[in-house]
Amino acid sequence: NKGCENLVLLGIKSRGVPLAEKICKNIDMIEGVKVPLATVDIHRYRDDLEDSNKLVLPPMQTLPFSVTDKTVILVDDVLYTGRTVRAAIEAVFSLGRPSAIQLAILIDRGHRQLPFRADYIGKNIPTSQNERVKVCLAPFDETSGFYILENQND
């Protein structure tokens, strides 16, 4: 991005948040710049919620800074179908009009249903539709890492 001017980080709730915090700390350590950081809750913008669940949605979100005319970097743990990214982009546009939106992902596992690709990828992990990727991160888990697990059919 040729510097950190007009850059903001948004961690997608929940495991995108600690990743965004780590990226923010690294930028500060390397560049000496504190990039604005916030959490984005995408539940209101999900396309898989039933109408009955829409009654218990959290209130509209506000941020401690504006995204208008900024380069917004969305941060999440796993990129799969692209539906989370779609919801996050819709959430960002409900908050303002950024100049650009970029996507930073820890793991890209493929199998997109929507035409999204990440700008920054920690690791590409080929998976089958029968598998899922579990990411473990503090403060949610005791250890950090990821696992490829077989889907359990209940």
Side-chain angles (χ1 to χ4, degrees):
N1 287 298
K2 297 179 180 153
C4 300
E5 191 174 319
N6 290 321
L7 192 68
V8 299
L9 290 170
L10 293 180
I12 298 174
K13 194 176 178 181
S14 59
R15 281 180 168 72
V17 175
L19 292 171
E21 290 168 349
K22 287 179 188 233
I23 292 169
C24 195
K25 285 178 187 172
N26 284 339
I27 291 172
D28 186 22
M29 188 175 64
I30 295 166
E31 297 288 330
V33 176
K34 292 193 183 303
V35 174
L37 168 69
T39 298
V40 63
D41 187 344
I42 63 162
H43 287 94
R44 172 176 294 281
Y45 306 97
R46 300 281 313 195
D47 64 359
D48 57 353
L49 287 179
E50 296 178 18
D51 288 334
S52 61
N53 290 336
K54 291 182 180 177
L55 299 175
V56 294
L57 288 173
M60 288 294 286
Q61 184 170 357
T62 60
L63 298 177
F65 51 81
S66 173
V67 297
T68 299
D69 296 325
K70 305 286 186 196
T71 296
V72 174
I73 300 180
L74 292 170
V75 181
D76 204 7
D77 58 347
V78 178
L79 178 57
Y80 180 37
T81 63
R83 294 193 178 279
T84 297
V85 176
R86 187 214 51 84
I89 290 171
E90 193 172 329
V92 169
F93 278 111
S94 76
L95 298 165
R97 189 173 189 277
S99 61
I101 298 176
Q102 298 174 352
L103 181 60
I105 295 293
L106 181 62
I107 296 173
D108 185 345
R109 63 167 290 188
H111 305 288
R112 222 71 79 238
Q113 294 174 354
L114 300 173
F116 291 110
R117 67 168 179 77
D119 299 282
Y120 312 99
I121 302 169
K123 185 81 173 152
N124 285 300
I125 306 290
T127 61
S128 75
Q129 295 281 17
N130 305 2
E131 297 171 322
R132 63 186 174 94
V133 175
K134 178 179 170 66
V135 173
C136 297
L137 294 169
F140 305 105
D141 307 290
E142 292 180 21
T143 62
S144 292
F146 72 91
Y147 304 91
I148 299 174
L149 307 169
E150 290 292 321
N151 277 333
Q152 300 294 322
N153 293 333
D154 295 339

